[in-house]
Amino acid sequence: MPSEVPLRWPRKREDIRFISINTNPSEDEKFIIGDGILLSLRQSLMFSLLLGVLYALAPTVWGEVSQRATLGNKLTSNGTGTPYSMNVTDCPGYALGSLQESDIGLTAQLTLAGPACNAFGQDISDLTIEVTYQSQSTLHVKIYDTANQQFTIPESVIERPAAPTTSYTGSSDLIFNYDAMPFAFWITRRSDPDAMPLFDTRTSSLPPTPIPPFNASDSSTAFDGFPLVFEDQYLQVASALPYGTNIYGLGEVIASSGFRRDIGTDGGVGTIQTHWARDVADPIDQNMYGSHPIYVEHRYNATTGKASSSGVLLLGSAGSDIFLQTPTNSKVSLVEYRIIGGILDFYFFSGPSDAEVISQYGSVIGYPMWQPAWGFGFHLCRWGYHNISDDIENVAQMRAAGIPLEVQWNDIDLYHAYRDFTTDPVSFPGDELRTFIRELAANNQHYIPIVDVGIAVTVNSTDVYDPFTRGVEEDVWIKNPDGSLYLGQVWPGYTVYPDWFSENILSVWTEGLKNWTEMGVEFSGIWLDMNEPSSFCSDSCGTGANYSALAPLSVAGTVVAGYPECYNETIWGPSGNMTINGTSTNSCTASSTTPAVVGRRGVGAGGEQGVNLNSPPYAIHNGKSPIGSLNRNTLATNATHYGGYAELDVHNMFGFMEEKTTHLAIQSIIPGKRPFLISRSTFPSAGKWTGHWLGDNFSKWQYLYLNIQGVLQFQIYQIPMVGADTCGFNGNTDEELCNRWMQLSAFVPFYRNHNTYAALPQEPYRWASVANASRIAIAARYALLPYWYTLFANASMAGLPPVKALFYEFPDEPELFTVDRQWLVGSDILVTPVLTPGATTVEGIFPGRGSVVWRDWYTHAVVNATSGGNTTLDAPISHINVHIRDNSALLLHQEPGYTIYETREGPYSLLVSLNAAGTAFGTAYVDDGISFPPGPSRSLTFQAADGTLKIESKGEYAILQKLETITVLGVQKPTQVKFQGSPAGGWTYKEATEELVVSNASVDLNGQLTLTWK
C-alpha cells in the first residue's frame, strides 16, 4: 500500500497535508517538527518513518510460550509442513569423526549427533571442520556444510591468506583443543596453558541453562541452551569468557557503555550487537551503517597485575545477533553468536598486545590503503551549498580568515535532479565547475563530490540518462527473483542499484566516473554515501509503476530546529553565539554542565523454495527490535545478484564492494596517484579501499564525546582514516560546541566540517572564536603531519593503529580500561579535549602512574600529574590540551602552511622529549605523499641517550627540505653543544622547561647526524 507523505513540514501536527507515494524512509537525520516528534531530514518527505517508529516502539505482549519461542518471525514452517521448534533446547549438537591431521592443522567431519531440532531452519547433518595454524599468532577454524550449499564470501571479494608453507602446529601460541562427542572446541595459549581458554564452546564451561531473558520484555534474550547449531537459516555457537572481561569492537555501533562494551557486569545490562547494515542517523545501542564482527579482549589478571590481549573474528556477511552477557549468579561471562545464514569462519589472534591483535587481524583481511598526504588536510562541506558561487565564496572566506582549507566538497546540491554523475546546468554548470576546480588545483587545493548509490531510471522514452541505459545494456543492476530490475526509491525517484558481483560493473562504474570528469567534475577523491544500500521504500516499489509520476524529492522550505544542550534559542535567538551583548548564552546552571543524555532509540537465488528470504525464522534485532523488518529502508532480502546470490546473504558487503569498485575505477581515471575515498557503510577489508566518516551525527555535546569511541573502534577494524562530521550534522550547532569540536577533530585522522540542509551555517570563519580555535588547532595538526604520515605508513605496511586507547600503551593499568574521553595519537601524543559546555577546565588521566614524564605541547612544561587518577587542566575557550610523552622523538613541519603542499615544502624541526633516564626514540617515514603504488621512500631513526642524539637515514627518496631546528626537552643545562664533533652555533637553553634548542641547523636528512651536549 502507498505510504502517506506530507507536502511540507508543518509547525503543528494538525497542519499536515498528505499525498500518496510508494516510500518508506529511513530514520536518517532526524529532527524535531513539533511536540517532540523526531522525523527524518535526509529523507525529509517520508512520513511513514513516523509510522515505522511507532510500530517499533509499540508494546508487545508475550504469551505463555517457551522462553525463546517468540523470538522468531511469523514463519514457523520450513516449507514442507514441518514446523520449526523455535527453541534450541533439544538441538543435539554434532559428533566429530574422520579426523585427519597435517603439517598445517587438521580436517574432520561433524555429523549431527541426534534427531534434528530444526529450531529456526533445517539442521544440516554433515559438516566439515578445517583447522589451520595460519601463523605463530593466527589460528583459522572453519566449519561449513560438506555439500557447500551455504553462502561463503568468495575469495574474489575478500582475498584471504594462502595456506602456510611453514608448519606452526608445534610452535603457534594458539592451540586448538576439542571434544569429539558432543563436539566442542576451545582455544588456549601455549605460553599460558593453565589460563582460562581464550574461546571455549564446551557447555560445561558455560553457565547452566535455561537462563531466563535478561530483558523481560524480549524473550529472545533468553538462553535455552548452548549446543552447536548449524541450520540453513540459523547458526549458533557460544563461548565462555572471564567474568567481566574487557571487550572492544563488534561494531559499527555507538554504545552507551562507551568504547568498552557492556558485558553485563558492574551494573550493566549486557549487549546485543546486531550486524545488519542500516541507514539511520547515528542511533545509540543499535546497528547502523557497517558490520564488523571482530572483538578484542583485553584480559587483566588481578593476581599478577598483568594483562594480555587476544582477538576473535567471525568472517561472514550474514545478518547476526552477537550477545555479550553475564547471567545472574554466573561465575563467567559469555559471548554467543546467532547468525541467519552462511558458515562459521573463525580467526583467532593471540596478540598479546592490543596493537598486535589489530595488526594480526589486518594480515587476514588486508591492511589499510595508502593515503595521499593531502587527505590529512582540513575538509569543508555542507548540504546546502546551492550553487557554484557558494563554493567560490566559501573558499574565499576561508582564505580571508586565514583558516587552512585543503578540500572543498559538494553534497547532492551538485546534481541535476539528484542524478549521479551529473551537475545541475543552472546551479553548477560544468564549465564553471571545471574552472573552479582548476583554480583550487592551482592553489594546491582539492575537490570531492558525493556519489549516492541509487541510479535513477529514465522516466520515459525522451529521457536521456546514460549511466542507467549503459547499465541496462551491460546487465549490471540488481534484479528481482523473476529477473526484472529491482526498483527502489532514493532522491531522484525510482532507482536501480549496482550489482557489484556483475562481471561488467567495474567498466560501467569507471565509465560513469570518467564521463563525469570530462563534464567538468575533475575530482581528487570521491565520497560514497547511502551505500548500506539505502532505499526510501522497502521493496521493489517501482515495479509496474509510472516512473514519470514520481518526481525527485524536494527540500525547499525545510526548517531545522534544535540547538546543542545549554543553548536556548527561544531566549537568545538563532545565532548560536556564546555571548550576546556581553551576556553569556549558556543556559545551564553552574552545577549542571553535563550534557543531557539523548534517549536510546528504539546461498540461494531469490526464489529458492523452502526458505523465507524476506523474513528468516530467527529475527535479529534490527533497530534493536526482534520485530524489525530486514528490508526497512533498504533492499528486500530476496533481491538477486549476479551468480544467484540473494541480498540476504550479501547485504552487509554492499558498501564495501562499492568502495572496492570505486577505488579501482579511480586508479584508472587518475593513474599514478593514490585514490582518496570516504564512505559510510563498511565491512571487513573495506580499509584497503576507503576511509570512513561516522555518519549523520547530531550537533550535541553528547555526540562530541561519542565520536571518540567511533574513531577508536575503526582503528580495530583496519579503517584508520576516520572522523566525525565536525560541529555536528543534524540540528543547529552553536559557537561554543563548534569551537571545541574544531579543536578535537584536528587530532583525529579525518577532519571534515559538514552539516545538514537549512541548518545554521557552521563554517569555521562564522564566529571569531571558532576561527581562532581552528587556526591554532590546524597549525598543530599540520606541524604533526610527518608524525601522522608515519603512523599511517605503519598502518598500510603492518596494520598498526595510528590512534590508540590509552591502555594499548599502558596495558597493566585497569583505571585506563574504560577511558574514552582521551586518546593517544600514536604512542606519544595524548589528547584531552573539553567535552562539556561552559567548562574552563578539564579532567584527564596521565598514564604511567608517575613513571612517565608528560610535557605540554604548547609550552613544553612538565605536567604535575596525579598518579593513577585525574588531573585538572586549564582549558579556556579555543584551547585543547595536548601532551607529549617522554622517550619520544617527533619529526615536525616547522612552518605549517595554508595547504599540505605548502607545509611539506617548508623546513622540518625535531622535537625530542627525554625520559628520566635521558633516552628517547622515534622514527619517520617520508615519500612524495601521492604516488600510487608508493614509490621511493626514506626511513629516519632518531635515538637519544647519554647526551647524544643520533639521526640515521635510509632509503632512495631524496628529502629536499632541511631540518632547521632541534629541540631537546629534559636536558640539564649544558656547557657545550656539538654537531658532528664540532661546536654548534646558535643554540639556546630554557631552564624552566629544561629545553635545549639548536636553531638554523640546516641538517640534510638524507645523511647521518650526531648531536651531543654536556
Side-chain angles (χ1 to χ4, degrees):
M1 295 293 293
S3 300
E4 293 184 317
V5 182
L7 283 169
R8 59 188 174 85
W9 286 123
R11 293 304 182 99
K12 301 177 182 178
R13 286 190 215 176
E14 56 267 29
D15 290 341
I16 296 177
R17 293 185 289 130
F18 299 98
I19 60 175
S20 290
I21 195 169
N22 276 320
T23 176
N24 183 16
S26 82
E27 298 173 48
D28 185 42
E29 298 161 35
K30 296 173 181 174
F31 67 102
I32 296 174
I33 63 168
D35 297 337
I37 300 175
L38 288 174
L39 287 182
S40 166
L41 180 57
R42 179 66 85 168
Q43 288 87 36
S44 61
L45 297 182
M46 269 55 73
F47 183 71
S48 58
L49 164 64
L50 179 57
L51 302 179
V53 170
L54 293 175
Y55 173 71
L57 296 178
T60 303
V61 179
W62 303 106
E64 295 296 327
V65 292
S66 169
Q67 290 172 346
R68 281 174 57 191
T70 54
L71 60 75
N73 281 308
K74 292 184 178 180
L75 173 72
T76 58
S77 171
N78 61 15
T80 63
T82 302
Y84 296 133
S85 69
M86 316 300 277
N87 189 293
V88 300
T89 302
D90 296 325
C91 292
Y94 287 81
L96 182 142
S98 303
L99 176 68
Q100 293 183 332
E101 296 184 342
S102 70
D103 289 341
I104 62 172
L106 63 85
T107 302
Q109 300 303 306
L110 300 176
T111 305
L112 200 63
C117 67
N118 296 330
F120 300 98
Q122 297 185 66
D123 284 278
I124 298 175
S125 58
D126 296 310
L127 308 177
T128 299
I129 179 170
E130 295 177 355
V131 178
T132 304
Y133 288 87
Q134 197 68 48
S135 71
Q136 287 289 132
S137 57
T138 301
L139 178 65
H140 184 198
V141 178
K142 181 179 178 182
I143 302 175
Y144 59 95
D145 58 310
T146 305
N148 280 308
Q149 294 300 299
Q150 293 287 102
F151 177 79
T152 303
I153 297 173
E155 287 275 349
S156 60
V157 176
I158 298 179
E159 183 181 0
R160 267 85 90 193
T165 57
T166 301
S167 176
Y168 298 102
T169 57
S171 59
S172 170
D173 190 39
L174 298 177
I175 299 177
F176 177 84
N177 310 271
Y178 67 91
D179 284 336
M181 179 61 190
F183 170 72
F185 71 92
W186 62 102
I187 311 298
T188 55
R189 284 191 191 274
R190 190 181 304 273
S191 57
D192 194 4
D194 297 327
M196 183 174 177
L198 303 182
F199 198 83
D200 189 350
T201 70
R202 292 172 293 182
T203 56
S204 60
S205 301
L206 288 153
T209 56
I211 299 169
F214 61 84
N215 180 349
S217 65
D218 179 0
S219 66
S220 72
T221 61
F223 298 98
D224 293 326
F226 297 117
L228 172 62
V229 181
F230 200 116
E231 300 173 342
D232 57 349
Q233 291 201 91
Y234 183 74
L235 292 79
Q236 176 182 303
V237 65
S239 169
L241 295 171
Y243 183 90
T245 193
N246 304 292
I247 299 292
Y248 307 88
L250 295 179
E252 182 178 5
V253 67
I254 301 170
S256 59
S257 64
F259 179 47
R260 180 184 181 272
R261 303 308 303 270
D262 183 350
I263 199 168
T265 57
D266 302 318
V269 297
T271 292
I272 306 173
Q273 182 57 55
T274 299
H275 285 119
W276 189 255
R278 176 170 170 251
D279 172 9
V280 58
D282 284 17
I284 296 175
D285 291 331
Q286 297 181 24
N287 56 305
M288 45 195 298
Y289 314 111
S291 173
H292 294 277
I294 163 120
Y295 70 79
V296 175
E297 181 195 351
H298 188 83
R299 186 176 294 190
Y300 180 71
N301 187 323
T303 302
T304 64
K306 297 295 181 181
S308 63
S309 293
S310 60
V312 179
L313 164 68
L314 176 60
L315 185 57
S317 56
S320 65
D321 284 340
I322 301 179
F323 287 71
L324 295 171
Q325 190 53 252
T326 306
T328 303
N329 300 322
S330 175
K331 295 181 180 180
V332 298
S333 300
L334 65 89
V335 56
E336 182 175 75
Y337 297 82
R338 301 178 185 175
I339 313 156
I340 58 174
I343 66 172
L344 297 175
D345 197 5
F346 281 107
Y347 288 85
F348 300 94
F349 309 107
S350 69
S353 73
D354 301 280
E356 286 172 310
V357 171
I358 295 169
S359 173
Q360 290 154 10
Y361 170 55
S363 71
V364 169
I365 54 95
Y367 297 143
M369 61 184 283
W370 283 87
Q371 296 291 339
W374 60 263
F376 293 95
F378 174 64
H379 302 243
L380 189 55
C381 184
R382 77 159 297 159
W383 182 17
Y385 289 141
H386 301 291
N387 50 52
I388 189 67
S389 297
D390 282 357
D391 280 351
I392 294 169
E393 175 67 14
N394 192 54
V395 172
Q397 290 283 3
M398 289 291 289
R399 190 171 287 273
I403 305 170
L405 173 62
E406 188 71 16
V407 191
Q408 177 65 39
W409 296 47
N410 274 122
D411 208 313
I412 58 175
D413 318 274
L414 173 69
Y415 293 153
H416 177 52
Y418 296 126
R419 291 183 170 187
D420 276 1
F421 311 128
T422 67
T423 64
D424 188 280
V426 176
S427 302
F428 292 90
D431 289 344
E432 292 184 30
L433 188 62
R434 180 185 292 108
T435 299
F436 168 67
I437 294 172
R438 290 182 177 180
E439 288 175 354
L440 287 175
N443 291 316
N444 303 303
Q445 294 169 296
H446 303 268
Y447 178 79
I448 291 178
I450 192 172
V451 173
D452 274 349
V453 75
I455 302 296
V457 302
T458 53
V459 299
N460 53 47
S461 60
T462 64
D463 187 8
V464 178
Y465 181 46
D466 191 60
F468 169 69
T469 55
R470 287 288 295 129
V472 172
E473 293 167 358
E474 297 297 323
D475 193 21
V476 301
W477 307 132
I478 292 174
K479 305 283 181 45
N480 287 307
D482 64 3
S484 62
L485 291 180
Y486 185 100
L487 298 172
Q489 183 200 349
V490 202
W491 289 103
Y494 293 121
T495 56
V496 291
Y497 293 83
D499 183 352
W500 308 113
F501 288 94
S502 168
E503 294 178 333
N504 300 323
I505 187 60
L506 177 58
S507 62
V508 170
W509 202 246
T510 302
E511 180 181 318
L513 287 165
K514 188 174 188 299
N515 289 343
W516 209 20
T517 66
E518 294 172 354
M519 292 165 53
V521 188
E522 296 176 350
F523 53 78
S524 296
I526 290 292
W527 170 24
L528 299 176
D529 195 8
M530 302 186 75
N531 58 345
E532 291 72 30
S534 178
S535 177
F536 298 165
C537 63
S538 297
D539 55 16
S540 187
C541 55
T543 298
N546 179 358
Y547 299 163
S548 60
L550 182 63
L553 298 175
S554 172
V555 292
T558 298
V559 176
V560 174
Y563 281 77
E565 307 92 327
C566 301
Y567 185 89
N568 188 336
E569 69 272 27
T570 62
I571 298 174
W572 301 110
S575 73
N577 292 351
M578 285 192 297
T579 59
I580 293 178
N581 297 325
T583 302
S584 171
T585 59
N586 185 349
S587 300
C588 293
T589 62
S591 61
S592 178
T593 58
T594 301
V597 175
V598 177
R600 303 181 191 178
R601 298 176 288 277
V603 78
E608 181 180 350
Q609 298 300 308
V611 174
N612 190 318
L613 295 176
N614 287 330
S615 296
Y618 177 82
I620 61 174
H621 287 70
N622 187 31
K624 206 178 179 181
S625 169
I627 57 174
S629 174
L630 294 180
N631 64 340
R632 187 177 180 209
N633 306 323
T634 189
L635 306 189
T637 45
N638 69 344
T640 305
H641 296 254
Y642 180 84
Y645 297 128
E647 174 69 10
L648 177 68
D649 291 320
V650 302
H651 171 80
N652 283 331
M653 298 193 296
F654 187 99
F656 149 67
M657 294 184 72
E658 181 193 29
E659 291 141 17
K660 181 177 180 179
T661 303
T662 306
H663 185 112
L664 295 173
I666 295 175
Q667 284 183 14
S668 65
I669 295 168
I670 313 177
K673 295 186 178 180
R674 299 173 197 174
F676 183 86
L677 278 81
I678 293 294
S679 311
R680 194 166 74 176
S681 182
T682 57
F683 187 76
S685 195
K688 289 178 63 175
W689 314 105
T690 188
H692 174 65
W693 99 101
L694 294 171
D696 297 341
N697 62 2
F698 293 82
S699 298
K700 298 290 185 182
W701 288 90
Q702 183 190 19
Y703 278 83
L704 174 65
Y705 155 64
L706 291 173
N707 82 206
I708 299 173
Q709 64 168 271
V711 172
L712 292 173
Q713 276 185 45
F714 276 84
Q715 308 306 301
I716 295 174
Y717 308 149
Q718 290 289 342
I719 310 176
M721 178 55 79
V722 60
D725 277 349
T726 298
C727 301
F729 178 77
N730 284 306
N732 298 296
T733 194
D734 67 11
E735 179 183 2
E736 185 183 7
L737 176 61
C738 200
N739 185 303
R740 295 300 191 185
W741 214 324
M742 284 294 296
Q743 298 169 49
L744 182 151
S745 290
F747 294 91
V748 303
F750 177 53
Y751 189 12
R752 182 183 73 164
N753 182 316
H754 178 227
N755 69 325
T756 194
Y757 191 90
L760 190 70
Q762 63 186 41
E763 293 84 4
Y765 58 79
R766 298 286 179 175
W767 293 282
S769 78
V770 178
N772 185 47
S774 302
R775 287 188 291 266
I776 294 169
I778 294 174
R781 178 183 180 89
Y782 284 17
L784 280 164
L785 181 62
Y787 183 61
W788 274 114
Y789 196 76
T790 299
L791 294 173
F792 269 77
N794 290 336
S796 296
M797 293 187 292
L800 296 170
V803 178
K804 299 179 180 180
L806 274 55
F807 68 86
Y808 288 13
E809 288 291 313
F810 301 88
D812 302 329
E813 300 179 18
E815 62 270 21
L816 304 179
F817 297 167
T818 60
V819 172
D820 57 8
R821 304 175 77 87
Q822 299 171 268
W823 67 94
L824 288 165
V825 179
S827 301
D828 301 324
I829 298 294
L830 175 64
V831 184
T832 309
V834 169
L835 302 173
T836 54
T840 56
T841 61
V842 64
E843 298 286 315
I845 192 168
F846 286 85
R849 294 179 173 175
S851 65
V852 174
V853 179
W854 295 95
R855 296 180 168 95
D856 186 276
W857 163 262
Y858 308 96
T859 67
H860 298 165
V862 173
V863 177
N864 182 18
T866 302
S867 177
N870 280 336
T871 299
T872 301
L873 304 168
D874 288 335
I877 199 70
S878 300
H879 177 77
I880 183 170
N881 276 277
V882 181
H883 291 87
I884 311 158
R885 185 178 178 179
D886 68 7
N887 197 37
S888 64
L890 308 176
L891 184 68
L892 307 173
H893 286 308
Q894 181 166 294
E895 300 172 2
Y898 191 79
T899 65
I900 298 297
Y901 175 83
E902 294 166 57
T903 300
R904 284 172 58 94
E905 287 293 293
Y908 288 101
S909 63
L910 182 65
L911 180 60
V912 179
S913 181
L914 302 177
N915 62 12
T919 68
F921 179 81
T923 62
Y925 175 95
V926 185
D927 65 11
D928 67 5
I930 191 63
S931 293
F932 185 85
S937 64
R938 184 164 292 276
S939 296
L940 306 174
T941 303
F942 314 102
Q943 193 156 2
D946 301 323
T948 300
L949 170 66
K950 294 182 179 180
I951 301 178
E952 295 186 358
S953 179
K954 296 179 180 179
E956 299 178 356
Y957 180 75
I959 301 177
L960 302 180
Q961 297 74 25
K962 303 296 184 182
L963 174 61
E964 291 293 348
T965 303
I966 301 173
T967 301
V968 186
L969 307 177
V971 174
Q972 297 302 308
K973 186 173 183 178
T975 57
Q976 60 177 280
V977 179
K978 293 184 177 181
F979 258 137
Q980 307 290 62
S982 300
W987 64 272
T988 59
Y989 182 76
K990 300 178 183 178
E991 192 156 357
T993 51
E994 298 181 325
E995 183 172 350
L996 170 65
V997 180
V998 180
S999 304
N1000 302 315
S1002 296
V1003 172
D1004 182 355
L1005 287 172
N1006 300 295
Q1008 316 302 313
L1009 168 73
T1010 301
L1011 173 71
T1012 61
W1013 59 89
K1014 63 178 181 179

